[in-house]
Amino acid sequence: MSYFMNFLRVPSAGKNGVVLDAVTASVAATAAASGHPGFITVPVSAASPNIPRPAIMSTIGGFATLDDFDAFQEAAVNNKTVMNRLDAIDALCDRNHWTVSEVLSGELGMPSGYEPKVIGRTGMVAKPGKKQELVDTLLGIRDKVSPDVKPIVSTPLSGPLTAVRVSARGTSLQDLDDQRKEFAGQARNAGVPDLLAQAPVVYLSRIAYRASV
């Protein structure tokens, strides 16, 4: 398995562009210094009315083990330049949140030359005692759907114990919608709705920056 970290930031009023620029510089510096790839997304369509402004999400990945993530986080915490940079971004925001997640669906690789532009993240919460069945079902669906770039199935290490996320990458909103319809049809046929404690929540985002290593 592998792991990644998401930073969710809600810029203060009038600070969206400034925060995006600062986060872009931070992700670029992190990728260059650590060798971990990252990318940034901005909302296409907000999922929650409780967030007053669009949230900027940055993702740092490529952690093969939790020991790798430990080393990365300890290096950041002990680096005053990094912490000052993060504090400066946080000061421009109304809300900041980060989570570490485990990838349950294997490698995240993409074909050479493939350039995703949008991401659809679907958050689910399984009924008590049904998480593993939900995960197994989603992985089975993942193997059947047609896109060459398969969706990512992951679970956060904190928060609801039965939470699962499915993230699909696409070259356009239409591509993403086609993938969503295919996956949703397979999910209904496989009985996924019966395994859920509540309705899934979909987050649509556009990739604003990618830092490769």
Side-chain angles (χ1 to χ4, degrees), residues 150-174:
K150 302 292 187 180
I152 300 163
V153 181
S154 62
T155 184
L157 298 188
S158 57
L161 294 177
T162 59
V164 180
R165 184 192 304 110
V166 177
S167 303
R169 296 158 287 180
T171 56
S172 67
L173 287 175
Q174 186 60 61

Side-chain angles (χ1 to χ4, degrees), residues 167-181:
S167 303
R169 296 158 287 180
T171 56
S172 67
L173 287 175
Q174 186 60 61
D175 177 28
L176 203 59
D177 193 54
D178 292 342
Q179 293 185 49
R180 179 191 63 79
K181 290 175 181 176

Side-chain angles (χ1 to χ4, degrees), residues 42-48 173 202-206:
V42 295
V44 170
S45 181
S48 173
L173 287 175
V202 178
Y203 302 83
L204 292 177
S205 303
R206 186 170 302 279

Side-chain angles (χ1 to χ4, degrees), residues 42-59:
V42 295
V44 170
S45 181
S48 173
N50 297 322
I51 298 179
R53 279 174 293 280
I56 296 170
M57 180 180 288
S58 56
T59 300

